[in-house]
Amino acid sequence: MTCKKARELMVLDHYGEAGAEDKARFDEHLGKCPACAAERSETRRLFALIDAHAAEDAPTPDWEKVWRGVRTGIAGERPTRQPALAPWRRWPFAGPALALVLVAGILIGRFGLAPAPRPAVSAAAAPSNGGAPNGIRPAFAAYLEDLKPILLDYAHYVPGEKAEGRVVVDESALRTLMLQNVLLKRKLAEKDPAAADLLDDLDLILKEIVNRGPNDTNSPAEIRDLIEKRDVLFKMEILKKT
Amino acid sequence: MEELTNIRQAREGDPEAFRALFDGHRQQVFALAYRYLRNRTDAEDVLQETFIKAYNGLPGYDPAKGLNFAAWLNRICVNASIDAMRRSKVRETGPLGPEEAAAMSAPSHSSDPERSARSAEIREKIDQALARLTPTQRMVFTLRHYQEYTTREIAQALQSSEGSVKKHLFRAVGLLRKHLRKYVVEDGYDL
Ligand SMILES: [Zn+2]
């Protein structure tokens, strides 16, 4: 047994999840390896420390307040017929349609390259003189909504996860998202530096996804780390609301 | 079974049936969210979000597929909690709420002020060490250590493989050992 395997087993053994055969080999290894024996002793003491300082029990929440929030959230709705899958898991089926919608809907509608639908028209007619131009804001928010399922899927990635459960967004859709990014940045750069910074982060992530391709096994974890390191999901939530 | 009847009726849009499901499972969902987030308001938000998502997801929930309602709710709660943790990462250094602060300073072993101050200090260090884990590592550790889920149950909740759950768990324990080494050594905790 290797020391690496022994270190893993000392955790599983603590929780009673080491199989009998593994446990026997683990005990044998400990008898011969002072480093692992010392580490096991330290691990046991860590758990004893944590258990001796367990946090207090949960307080009692305001159940009625929470229920009122639930009622408001579901008010007037019958449960909608949706797959039990989280939304981002449904994306693999949406590839070509998505690309089409993005190109047609966003480049034409949101960016005013053709007569735009209601919100963009009224907003564009009255440009604000401070903050981000209002006309581009709905497009920016919609862009973030489009990207979110992809980023969430990467953010939740754990190594060894089966590939078939993951988002597959075709390259042309990704390139469309990159193009939109450029257009948005051009409109937002001066008036809203925070949004422009976020777009830079998103551009970097999109490039990573496109350049690495679907067969690079390291890429999901590295992209996940990139998303986390730059706090992209948090910034998206904040900027979407402002 | 009553619960299955409630699920069926809630699916048809019956708020009373859904209220019964809420009452039956709210404690378990809140306890999980609170254990992970360590903040009452955030845990209440997650509880609310979990039941709204559950309501909307009811048509896709099929008990015949082997996942009982409680486990299904926990799965929604786990994901909502991880998202909430990501959102709160930036403000985590803020001051504790009054209840958290009270919980933090509550004496755990004795009324000796020196000991309870030391205990509060260690508890805070444990919280800080947990805050340094990634949201997923922290969830895996919370579910395994505090909620006593098996790695298989955690994999089910995270819709992940047992292998990756174990990797997160090993990494989490390794990091906790590293961040808390000083206290492990100084306080001589032993079995
Ligand atoms: Zn060894």
Side-chain angles (χ1 to χ4, degrees), chain B residues 1-36:
Chain B
M1 195 182 131
E2 197 183 345
E3 181 164 278
L4 289 175
T5 310
N6 283 333
I7 291 170
R8 191 170 43 75
Q9 288 175 351
R11 198 182 282 158
E12 301 300 319
D14 176 354
E16 290 309 310
F18 194 62
R19 170 77 204 221
L21 292 171
F22 174 80
D23 288 343
H25 294 277
R26 62 191 191 182
Q27 182 65 52
Q28 142 226 333
V29 172
F30 178 77
L32 170 52
Y34 183 80
R35 178 55 90 176
Y36 176 69

PDB file of all heavy atoms in Angstrom, chain B residues 1-36:
ATOM      1  N   MET B   1     -49.839   6.053   1.411  1.00  0.00           N
ATOM      2  CA  MET B   1     -49.084   6.834   2.402  1.00  0.00           C
ATOM      3  C   MET B   1     -49.423   8.319   2.282  1.00  0.00           C
ATOM      4  O   MET B   1     -49.587   8.853   1.198  1.00  0.00           O
ATOM      5  CB  MET B   1     -47.585   6.599   2.160  1.00  0.00           C
ATOM      6  CG  MET B   1     -46.703   7.035   3.296  1.00  0.00           C
ATOM      7  SD  MET B   1     -44.986   6.741   2.819  1.00  0.00           S
ATOM      8  CE  MET B   1     -44.272   8.324   3.224  1.00  0.00           C
ATOM      9  N   GLU B   2     -49.515   8.960   3.457  1.00  0.00           N
ATOM     10  CA  GLU B   2     -49.962  10.355   3.482  1.00  0.00           C
ATOM     11  C   GLU B   2     -49.048  11.280   2.673  1.00  0.00           C
ATOM     12  O   GLU B   2     -49.511  12.158   1.962  1.00  0.00           O
ATOM     13  CB  GLU B   2     -50.024  10.819   4.938  1.00  0.00           C
ATOM     14  CG  GLU B   2     -50.853  12.068   5.127  1.00  0.00           C
ATOM     15  CD  GLU B   2     -50.824  12.532   6.581  1.00  0.00           C
ATOM     16  OE1 GLU B   2     -50.414  11.756   7.463  1.00  0.00           O
ATOM     17  OE2 GLU B   2     -51.185  13.676   6.818  1.00  0.00           O
ATOM     18  N   GLU B   3     -47.738  11.040   2.815  1.00  0.00           N
ATOM     19  CA  GLU B   3     -46.811  11.923   2.119  1.00  0.00           C
ATOM     20  C   GLU B   3     -46.994  11.842   0.603  1.00  0.00           C
ATOM     21  O   GLU B   3     -46.985  12.877  -0.091  1.00  0.00           O
ATOM     22  CB  GLU B   3     -45.365  11.576   2.492  1.00  0.00           C
ATOM     23  CG  GLU B   3     -44.372  12.495   1.803  1.00  0.00           C
ATOM     24  CD  GLU B   3     -42.997  12.451   2.433  1.00  0.00           C
ATOM     25  OE1 GLU B   3     -42.795  13.144   3.448  1.00  0.00           O
ATOM     26  OE2 GLU B   3     -42.137  11.714   1.933  1.00  0.00           O
ATOM     27  N   LEU B   4     -47.170  10.643   0.100  1.00  0.00           N
ATOM     28  CA  LEU B   4     -47.360  10.494  -1.344  1.00  0.00           C
ATOM     29  C   LEU B   4     -48.632  11.209  -1.811  1.00  0.00           C
ATOM     30  O   LEU B   4     -48.658  11.824  -2.884  1.00  0.00           O
ATOM     31  CB  LEU B   4     -47.409   9.005  -1.731  1.00  0.00           C
ATOM     32  CG  LEU B   4     -46.068   8.272  -1.636  1.00  0.00           C
ATOM     33  CD1 LEU B   4     -46.244   6.786  -1.920  1.00  0.00           C
ATOM     34  CD2 LEU B   4     -45.049   8.883  -2.605  1.00  0.00           C
ATOM     35  N   THR B   5     -49.671  11.134  -0.965  1.00  0.00           N
ATOM     36  CA  THR B   5     -50.911  11.847  -1.293  1.00  0.00           C
ATOM     37  C   THR B   5     -50.648  13.350  -1.340  1.00  0.00           C
ATOM     38  O   THR B   5     -51.082  14.051  -2.266  1.00  0.00           O
ATOM     39  CB  THR B   5     -51.989  11.558  -0.217  1.00  0.00           C
ATOM     40  OG1 THR B   5     -52.042  10.148  -0.037  1.00  0.00           O
ATOM     41  CG2 THR B   5     -53.343  12.073  -0.648  1.00  0.00           C
ATOM     42  N   ASN B   6     -49.917  13.836  -0.342  1.00  0.00           N
ATOM     43  CA  ASN B   6     -49.583  15.264  -0.322  1.00  0.00           C
ATOM     44  C   ASN B   6     -48.768  15.674  -1.546  1.00  0.00           C
ATOM     45  O   ASN B   6     -48.980  16.747  -2.112  1.00  0.00           O
ATOM     46  CB  ASN B   6     -48.819  15.616   0.959  1.00  0.00           C
ATOM     47  CG  ASN B   6     -49.742  15.707   2.156  1.00  0.00           C
ATOM     48  OD1 ASN B   6     -50.926  16.009   2.011  1.00  0.00           O
ATOM     49  ND2 ASN B   6     -49.218  15.414   3.345  1.00  0.00           N
ATOM     50  N   ILE B   7     -47.826  14.825  -1.923  1.00  0.00           N
ATOM     51  CA  ILE B   7     -47.002  15.138  -3.095  1.00  0.00           C
ATOM     52  C   ILE B   7     -47.890  15.231  -4.341  1.00  0.00           C
ATOM     53  O   ILE B   7     -47.792  16.171  -5.132  1.00  0.00           O
ATOM     54  CB  ILE B   7     -45.898  14.063  -3.298  1.00  0.00           C
ATOM     55  CG1 ILE B   7     -44.864  14.162  -2.169  1.00  0.00           C
ATOM     56  CG2 ILE B   7     -45.218  14.215  -4.654  1.00  0.00           C
ATOM     57  CD1 ILE B   7     -43.875  13.021  -2.126  1.00  0.00           C
ATOM     58  N   ARG B   8     -48.805  14.260  -4.465  1.00  0.00           N
ATOM     59  CA  ARG B   8     -49.683  14.239  -5.638  1.00  0.00           C
ATOM     60  C   ARG B   8     -50.566  15.488  -5.662  1.00  0.00           C
ATOM     61  O   ARG B   8     -50.719  16.153  -6.689  1.00  0.00           O
ATOM     62  CB  ARG B   8     -50.527  12.958  -5.616  1.00  0.00           C
ATOM     63  CG  ARG B   8     -51.294  12.686  -6.898  1.00  0.00           C
ATOM     64  CD  ARG B   8     -51.902  11.288  -6.905  1.00  0.00           C
ATOM     65  NE  ARG B   8     -52.533  10.912  -5.627  1.00  0.00           N
ATOM     66  CZ  ARG B   8     -53.702  11.374  -5.199  1.00  0.00           C
ATOM     67  NH1 ARG B   8     -54.390  12.204  -5.941  1.00  0.00           N
ATOM     68  NH2 ARG B   8     -54.192  10.990  -4.027  1.00  0.00           N
ATOM     69  N   GLN B   9     -51.119  15.819  -4.493  1.00  0.00           N
ATOM     70  CA  GLN B   9     -52.029  16.977  -4.444  1.00  0.00           C
ATOM     71  C   GLN B   9     -51.279  18.297  -4.626  1.00  0.00           C
ATOM     72  O   GLN B   9     -51.781  19.217  -5.273  1.00  0.00           O
ATOM     73  CB  GLN B   9     -52.799  16.975  -3.121  1.00  0.00           C
ATOM     74  CG  GLN B   9     -53.837  15.857  -3.102  1.00  0.00           C
ATOM     75  CD  GLN B   9     -54.546  15.744  -1.758  1.00  0.00           C
ATOM     76  OE1 GLN B   9     -54.153  16.384  -0.789  1.00  0.00           O
ATOM     77  NE2 GLN B   9     -55.579  14.912  -1.704  1.00  0.00           N
ATOM     78  N   ALA B  10     -50.073  18.373  -4.062  1.00  0.00           N
ATOM     79  CA  ALA B  10     -49.270  19.597  -4.241  1.00  0.00           C
ATOM     80  C   ALA B  10     -48.935  19.784  -5.716  1.00  0.00           C
ATOM     81  O   ALA B  10     -48.916  20.906  -6.230  1.00  0.00           O
ATOM     82  CB  ALA B  10     -47.997  19.511  -3.406  1.00  0.00           C
ATOM     83  N   ARG B  11     -48.697  18.684  -6.376  1.00  0.00           N
ATOM     84  CA  ARG B  11     -48.385  18.726  -7.802  1.00  0.00           C
ATOM     85  C   ARG B  11     -49.560  19.291  -8.599  1.00  0.00           C
ATOM     86  O   ARG B  11     -49.398  19.927  -9.626  1.00  0.00           O
ATOM     87  CB  ARG B  11     -48.057  17.298  -8.257  1.00  0.00           C
ATOM     88  CG  ARG B  11     -47.313  17.213  -9.546  1.00  0.00           C
ATOM     89  CD  ARG B  11     -47.080  15.772  -9.910  1.00  0.00           C
ATOM     90  NE  ARG B  11     -45.989  15.178  -9.158  1.00  0.00           N
ATOM     91  CZ  ARG B  11     -45.831  13.868  -8.967  1.00  0.00           C
ATOM     92  NH1 ARG B  11     -46.723  13.014  -9.428  1.00  0.00           N
ATOM     93  NH2 ARG B  11     -44.806  13.412  -8.290  1.00  0.00           N
ATOM     94  N   GLU B  12     -50.760  19.037  -8.088  1.00  0.00           N
ATOM     95  CA  GLU B  12     -51.961  19.578  -8.740  1.00  0.00           C
ATOM     96  C   GLU B  12     -52.183  21.050  -8.370  1.00  0.00           C
ATOM     97  O   GLU B  12     -53.150  21.655  -8.803  1.00  0.00           O
ATOM     98  CB  GLU B  12     -53.210  18.775  -8.324  1.00  0.00           C
ATOM     99  CG  GLU B  12     -53.148  17.282  -8.663  1.00  0.00           C
ATOM    100  CD  GLU B  12     -52.999  17.044 -10.160  1.00  0.00           C
ATOM    101  OE1 GLU B  12     -53.669  17.757 -10.929  1.00  0.00           O
ATOM    102  OE2 GLU B  12     -52.194  16.172 -10.541  1.00  0.00           O
ATOM    103  N   GLY B  13     -51.317  21.584  -7.502  1.00  0.00           N
ATOM    104  CA  GLY B  13     -51.441  22.995  -7.147  1.00  0.00           C
ATOM    105  C   GLY B  13     -52.141  23.246  -5.823  1.00  0.00           C
ATOM    106  O   GLY B  13     -52.551  24.370  -5.545  1.00  0.00           O
ATOM    107  N   ASP B  14     -52.296  22.214  -4.993  1.00  0.00           N
ATOM    108  CA  ASP B  14     -52.981  22.372  -3.703  1.00  0.00           C
ATOM    109  C   ASP B  14     -52.006  22.924  -2.651  1.00  0.00           C
ATOM    110  O   ASP B  14     -51.079  22.221  -2.225  1.00  0.00           O
ATOM    111  CB  ASP B  14     -53.514  20.990  -3.271  1.00  0.00           C
ATOM    112  CG  ASP B  14     -54.152  21.027  -1.885  1.00  0.00           C
ATOM    113  OD1 ASP B  14     -54.083  22.075  -1.212  1.00  0.00           O
ATOM    114  OD2 ASP B  14     -54.706  19.988  -1.479  1.00  0.00           O
ATOM    115  N   PRO B  15     -52.189  24.187  -2.237  1.00  0.00           N
ATOM    116  CA  PRO B  15     -51.227  24.794  -1.302  1.00  0.00           C
ATOM    117  C   PRO B  15     -51.240  24.140   0.079  1.00  0.00           C
ATOM    118  O   PRO B  15     -50.199  24.098   0.750  1.00  0.00           O
ATOM    119  CB  PRO B  15     -51.672  26.255  -1.214  1.00  0.00           C
ATOM    120  CG  PRO B  15     -53.053  26.307  -1.751  1.00  0.00           C
ATOM    121  CD  PRO B  15     -53.271  25.121  -2.614  1.00  0.00           C
ATOM    122  N   GLU B  16     -52.390  23.634   0.508  1.00  0.00           N
ATOM    123  CA  GLU B  16     -52.457  22.988   1.827  1.00  0.00           C
ATOM    124  C   GLU B  16     -51.582  21.729   1.856  1.00  0.00           C
ATOM    125  O   GLU B  16     -50.878  21.463   2.826  1.00  0.00           O
ATOM    126  CB  GLU B  16     -53.909  22.626   2.181  1.00  0.00           C
ATOM    127  CG  GLU B  16     -54.783  23.835   2.462  1.00  0.00           C
ATOM    128  CD  GLU B  16     -54.142  24.786   3.478  1.00  0.00           C
ATOM    129  OE1 GLU B  16     -53.708  24.304   4.556  1.00  0.00           O
ATOM    130  OE2 GLU B  16     -54.047  25.995   3.191  1.00  0.00           O
ATOM    131  N   ALA B  17     -51.644  20.980   0.785  1.00  0.00           N
ATOM    132  CA  ALA B  17     -50.826  19.765   0.707  1.00  0.00           C
ATOM    133  C   ALA B  17     -49.347  20.132   0.710  1.00  0.00           C
ATOM    134  O   ALA B  17     -48.527  19.464   1.349  1.00  0.00           O
ATOM    135  CB  ALA B  17     -51.173  18.977  -0.556  1.00  0.00           C
ATOM    136  N   PHE B  18     -49.021  21.236   0.011  1.00  0.00           N
ATOM    137  CA  PHE B  18     -47.617  21.635  -0.029  1.00  0.00           C
ATOM    138  C   PHE B  18     -47.177  22.154   1.328  1.00  0.00           C
ATOM    139  O   PHE B  18     -46.048  21.932   1.763  1.00  0.00           O
ATOM    140  CB  PHE B  18     -47.374  22.682  -1.121  1.00  0.00           C
ATOM    141  CG  PHE B  18     -45.909  22.870  -1.413  1.00  0.00           C
ATOM    142  CD1 PHE B  18     -45.140  21.813  -1.890  1.00  0.00           C
ATOM    143  CD2 PHE B  18     -45.282  24.080  -1.184  1.00  0.00           C
ATOM    144  CE1 PHE B  18     -43.782  21.959  -2.138  1.00  0.00           C
ATOM    145  CE2 PHE B  18     -43.925  24.243  -1.421  1.00  0.00           C
ATOM    146  CZ  PHE B  18     -43.179  23.180  -1.906  1.00  0.00           C
ATOM    147  N   ARG B  19     -48.093  22.828   2.034  1.00  0.00           N
ATOM    148  CA  ARG B  19     -47.785  23.297   3.380  1.00  0.00           C
ATOM    149  C   ARG B  19     -47.473  22.101   4.291  1.00  0.00           C
ATOM    150  O   ARG B  19     -46.570  22.147   5.126  1.00  0.00           O
ATOM    151  CB  ARG B  19     -48.958  24.112   3.936  1.00  0.00           C
ATOM    152  CG  ARG B  19     -48.849  24.459   5.409  1.00  0.00           C
ATOM    153  CD  ARG B  19     -47.870  25.606   5.627  1.00  0.00           C
ATOM    154  NE  ARG B  19     -47.315  25.597   6.966  1.00  0.00           N
ATOM    155  CZ  ARG B  19     -47.112  26.681   7.710  1.00  0.00           C
ATOM    156  NH1 ARG B  19     -47.411  27.863   7.256  1.00  0.00           N
ATOM    157  NH2 ARG B  19     -46.571  26.598   8.905  1.00  0.00           N
ATOM    158  N   ALA B  20     -48.215  21.036   4.130  1.00  0.00           N
ATOM    159  CA  ALA B  20     -47.960  19.845   4.951  1.00  0.00           C
ATOM    160  C   ALA B  20     -46.570  19.274   4.662  1.00  0.00           C
ATOM    161  O   ALA B  20     -45.855  18.850   5.583  1.00  0.00           O
ATOM    162  CB  ALA B  20     -49.040  18.787   4.682  1.00  0.00           C
ATOM    163  N   LEU B  21     -46.180  19.314   3.402  1.00  0.00           N
ATOM    164  CA  LEU B  21     -44.834  18.834   3.050  1.00  0.00           C
ATOM    165  C   LEU B  21     -43.779  19.762   3.651  1.00  0.00           C
ATOM    166  O   LEU B  21     -42.745  19.311   4.157  1.00  0.00           O
ATOM    167  CB  LEU B  21     -44.667  18.770   1.527  1.00  0.00           C
ATOM    168  CG  LEU B  21     -45.513  17.715   0.811  1.00  0.00           C
ATOM    169  CD1 LEU B  21     -45.418  17.894  -0.703  1.00  0.00           C
ATOM    170  CD2 LEU B  21     -45.085  16.302   1.202  1.00  0.00           C
ATOM    171  N   PHE B  22     -44.045  21.055   3.603  1.00  0.00           N
ATOM    172  CA  PHE B  22     -43.133  22.044   4.192  1.00  0.00           C
ATOM    173  C   PHE B  22     -42.977  21.770   5.685  1.00  0.00           C
ATOM    174  O   PHE B  22     -41.856  21.675   6.204  1.00  0.00           O
ATOM    175  CB  PHE B  22     -43.688  23.447   3.938  1.00  0.00           C
ATOM    176  CG  PHE B  22     -42.912  24.558   4.609  1.00  0.00           C
ATOM    177  CD1 PHE B  22     -41.736  25.042   4.056  1.00  0.00           C
ATOM    178  CD2 PHE B  22     -43.376  25.125   5.798  1.00  0.00           C
ATOM    179  CE1 PHE B  22     -41.026  26.075   4.668  1.00  0.00           C
ATOM    180  CE2 PHE B  22     -42.668  26.153   6.414  1.00  0.00           C
ATOM    181  CZ  PHE B  22     -41.492  26.635   5.846  1.00  0.00           C
ATOM    182  N   ASP B  23     -44.118  21.606   6.380  1.00  0.00           N
ATOM    183  CA  ASP B  23     -44.064  21.380   7.828  1.00  0.00           C
ATOM    184  C   ASP B  23     -43.325  20.089   8.176  1.00  0.00           C
ATOM    185  O   ASP B  23     -42.613  20.016   9.163  1.00  0.00           O
ATOM    186  CB  ASP B  23     -45.487  21.331   8.409  1.00  0.00           C
ATOM    187  CG  ASP B  23     -46.129  22.718   8.419  1.00  0.00           C
ATOM    188  OD1 ASP B  23     -45.383  23.710   8.303  1.00  0.00           O
ATOM    189  OD2 ASP B  23     -47.365  22.799   8.524  1.00  0.00           O
ATOM    190  N   GLY B  24     -43.498  19.117   7.339  1.00  0.00           N
ATOM    191  CA  GLY B  24     -42.883  17.813   7.625  1.00  0.00           C
ATOM    192  C   GLY B  24     -41.369  17.793   7.413  1.00  0.00           C
ATOM    193  O   GLY B  24     -40.682  16.951   7.992  1.00  0.00           O
ATOM    194  N   HIS B  25     -40.873  18.687   6.583  1.00  0.00           N
ATOM    195  CA  HIS B  25     -39.454  18.583   6.202  1.00  0.00           C
ATOM    196  C   HIS B  25     -38.637  19.840   6.480  1.00  0.00           C
ATOM    197  O   HIS B  25     -37.433  19.856   6.256  1.00  0.00           O
ATOM    198  CB  HIS B  25     -39.348  18.228   4.715  1.00  0.00           C
ATOM    199  CG  HIS B  25     -39.881  16.866   4.392  1.00  0.00           C
ATOM    200  ND1 HIS B  25     -39.139  15.721   4.549  1.00  0.00           N
ATOM    201  CD2 HIS B  25     -41.100  16.472   3.968  1.00  0.00           C
ATOM    202  CE1 HIS B  25     -39.876  14.679   4.215  1.00  0.00           C
ATOM    203  NE2 HIS B  25     -41.073  15.093   3.864  1.00  0.00           N
ATOM    204  N   ARG B  26     -39.305  20.918   6.932  1.00  0.00           N
ATOM    205  CA  ARG B  26     -38.597  22.191   7.085  1.00  0.00           C
ATOM    206  C   ARG B  26     -37.409  22.080   8.050  1.00  0.00           C
ATOM    207  O   ARG B  26     -36.347  22.651   7.820  1.00  0.00           O
ATOM    208  CB  ARG B  26     -39.577  23.276   7.545  1.00  0.00           C
ATOM    209  CG  ARG B  26     -40.182  22.974   8.901  1.00  0.00           C
ATOM    210  CD  ARG B  26     -41.337  23.883   9.261  1.00  0.00           C
ATOM    211  NE  ARG B  26     -41.682  23.696  10.667  1.00  0.00           N
ATOM    212  CZ  ARG B  26     -42.678  24.324  11.276  1.00  0.00           C
ATOM    213  NH1 ARG B  26     -43.437  25.165  10.617  1.00  0.00           N
ATOM    214  NH2 ARG B  26     -42.909  24.109  12.549  1.00  0.00           N
ATOM    215  N   GLN B  27     -37.600  21.342   9.160  1.00  0.00           N
ATOM    216  CA  GLN B  27     -36.551  21.253  10.179  1.00  0.00           C
ATOM    217  C   GLN B  27     -35.280  20.615   9.612  1.00  0.00           C
ATOM    218  O   GLN B  27     -34.171  21.120   9.807  1.00  0.00           O
ATOM    219  CB  GLN B  27     -37.069  20.437  11.368  1.00  0.00           C
ATOM    220  CG  GLN B  27     -36.073  20.329  12.520  1.00  0.00           C
ATOM    221  CD  GLN B  27     -35.778  21.686  13.166  1.00  0.00           C
ATOM    222  OE1 GLN B  27     -36.689  22.415  13.549  1.00  0.00           O
ATOM    223  NE2 GLN B  27     -34.505  22.047  13.257  1.00  0.00           N
ATOM    224  N   GLN B  28     -35.471  19.538   8.906  1.00  0.00           N
ATOM    225  CA  GLN B  28     -34.328  18.813   8.339  1.00  0.00           C
ATOM    226  C   GLN B  28     -33.597  19.677   7.307  1.00  0.00           C
ATOM    227  O   GLN B  28     -32.358  19.725   7.279  1.00  0.00           O
ATOM    228  CB  GLN B  28     -34.869  17.502   7.739  1.00  0.00           C
ATOM    229  CG  GLN B  28     -34.238  17.031   6.453  1.00  0.00           C
ATOM    230  CD  GLN B  28     -35.299  16.603   5.423  1.00  0.00           C
ATOM    231  OE1 GLN B  28     -36.409  16.197   5.773  1.00  0.00           O
ATOM    232  NE2 GLN B  28     -34.950  16.682   4.155  1.00  0.00           N
ATOM    233  N   VAL B  29     -34.342  20.386   6.480  1.00  0.00           N
ATOM    234  CA  VAL B  29     -33.722  21.212   5.446  1.00  0.00           C
ATOM    235  C   VAL B  29     -32.991  22.396   6.092  1.00  0.00           C
ATOM    236  O   VAL B  29     -31.843  22.697   5.749  1.00  0.00           O
ATOM    237  CB  VAL B  29     -34.779  21.719   4.432  1.00  0.00           C
ATOM    238  CG1 VAL B  29     -34.168  22.738   3.466  1.00  0.00           C
ATOM    239  CG2 VAL B  29     -35.359  20.545   3.649  1.00  0.00           C
ATOM    240  N   PHE B  30     -33.645  23.025   7.053  1.00  0.00           N
ATOM    241  CA  PHE B  30     -33.020  24.169   7.716  1.00  0.00           C
ATOM    242  C   PHE B  30     -31.749  23.738   8.456  1.00  0.00           C
ATOM    243  O   PHE B  30     -30.713  24.423   8.396  1.00  0.00           O
ATOM    244  CB  PHE B  30     -34.001  24.829   8.695  1.00  0.00           C
ATOM    245  CG  PHE B  30     -33.387  25.983   9.430  1.00  0.00           C
ATOM    246  CD1 PHE B  30     -33.214  27.212   8.804  1.00  0.00           C
ATOM    247  CD2 PHE B  30     -32.952  25.843  10.745  1.00  0.00           C
ATOM    248  CE1 PHE B  30     -32.632  28.283   9.470  1.00  0.00           C
ATOM    249  CE2 PHE B  30     -32.365  26.906  11.414  1.00  0.00           C
ATOM    250  CZ  PHE B  30     -32.203  28.128  10.777  1.00  0.00           C
ATOM    251  N   ALA B  31     -31.825  22.606   9.152  1.00  0.00           N
ATOM    252  CA  ALA B  31     -30.660  22.145   9.922  1.00  0.00           C
ATOM    253  C   ALA B  31     -29.461  21.928   9.006  1.00  0.00           C
ATOM    254  O   ALA B  31     -28.335  22.302   9.343  1.00  0.00           O
ATOM    255  CB  ALA B  31     -31.012  20.851  10.664  1.00  0.00           C
ATOM    256  N   LEU B  32     -29.709  21.357   7.864  1.00  0.00           N
ATOM    257  CA  LEU B  32     -28.620  21.117   6.915  1.00  0.00           C
ATOM    258  C   LEU B  32     -28.044  22.451   6.414  1.00  0.00           C
ATOM    259  O   LEU B  32     -26.826  22.651   6.417  1.00  0.00           O
ATOM    260  CB  LEU B  32     -29.145  20.264   5.749  1.00  0.00           C
ATOM    261  CG  LEU B  32     -28.256  20.087   4.519  1.00  0.00           C
ATOM    262  CD1 LEU B  32     -26.866  19.603   4.908  1.00  0.00           C
ATOM    263  CD2 LEU B  32     -28.886  19.086   3.552  1.00  0.00           C
ATOM    264  N   ALA B  33     -28.930  23.354   6.009  1.00  0.00           N
ATOM    265  CA  ALA B  33     -28.456  24.645   5.484  1.00  0.00           C
ATOM    266  C   ALA B  33     -27.701  25.422   6.569  1.00  0.00           C
ATOM    267  O   ALA B  33     -26.660  26.023   6.309  1.00  0.00           O
ATOM    268  CB  ALA B  33     -29.637  25.465   4.963  1.00  0.00           C
ATOM    269  N   TYR B  34     -28.217  25.375   7.791  1.00  0.00           N
ATOM    270  CA  TYR B  34     -27.578  26.133   8.867  1.00  0.00           C
ATOM    271  C   TYR B  34     -26.221  25.527   9.237  1.00  0.00           C
ATOM    272  O   TYR B  34     -25.242  26.243   9.462  1.00  0.00           O
ATOM    273  CB  TYR B  34     -28.476  26.184  10.102  1.00  0.00           C
ATOM    274  CG  TYR B  34     -27.865  27.020  11.201  1.00  0.00           C
ATOM    275  CD1 TYR B  34     -27.937  28.409  11.171  1.00  0.00           C
ATOM    276  CD2 TYR B  34     -27.163  26.421  12.251  1.00  0.00           C
ATOM    277  CE1 TYR B  34     -27.351  29.183  12.151  1.00  0.00           C
ATOM    278  CE2 TYR B  34     -26.563  27.185  13.238  1.00  0.00           C
ATOM    279  CZ  TYR B  34     -26.659  28.565  13.186  1.00  0.00           C
ATOM    280  OH  TYR B  34     -26.064  29.325  14.153  1.00  0.00           O
ATOM    281  N   ARG B  35     -26.182  24.219   9.289  1.00  0.00           N
ATOM    282  CA  ARG B  35     -24.919  23.560   9.630  1.00  0.00           C
ATOM    283  C   ARG B  35     -23.834  23.941   8.636  1.00  0.00           C
ATOM    284  O   ARG B  35     -22.662  24.108   8.975  1.00  0.00           O
ATOM    285  CB  ARG B  35     -25.141  22.036   9.650  1.00  0.00           C
ATOM    286  CG  ARG B  35     -23.929  21.220   9.938  1.00  0.00           C
ATOM    287  CD  ARG B  35     -23.239  21.596  11.215  1.00  0.00           C
ATOM    288  NE  ARG B  35     -23.716  20.864  12.375  1.00  0.00           N
ATOM    289  CZ  ARG B  35     -23.191  20.993  13.586  1.00  0.00           C
ATOM    290  NH1 ARG B  35     -22.196  21.829  13.801  1.00  0.00           N
ATOM    291  NH2 ARG B  35     -23.675  20.316  14.595  1.00  0.00           N
ATOM    292  N   TYR B  36     -24.238  24.115   7.413  1.00  0.00           N
ATOM    293  CA  TYR B  36     -23.278  24.442   6.359  1.00  0.00           C
ATOM    294  C   TYR B  36     -22.968  25.946   6.325  1.00  0.00           C
ATOM    295  O   TYR B  36     -21.811  26.348   6.267  1.00  0.00           O
ATOM    296  CB  TYR B  36     -23.841  23.983   5.016  1.00  0.00           C
ATOM    297  CG  TYR B  36     -22.999  24.334   3.815  1.00  0.00           C
ATOM    298  CD1 TYR B  36     -21.760  23.720   3.605  1.00  0.00           C
ATOM    299  CD2 TYR B  36     -23.434  25.249   2.861  1.00  0.00           C
ATOM    300  CE1 TYR B  36     -20.989  24.018   2.489  1.00  0.00           C
ATOM    301  CE2 TYR B  36     -22.674  25.557   1.747  1.00  0.00           C
ATOM    302  CZ  TYR B  36     -21.458  24.935   1.571  1.00  0.00           C
ATOM    303  OH  TYR B  36     -20.692  25.239   0.473  1.00  0.00           O
TER     304      TYR B  36
END
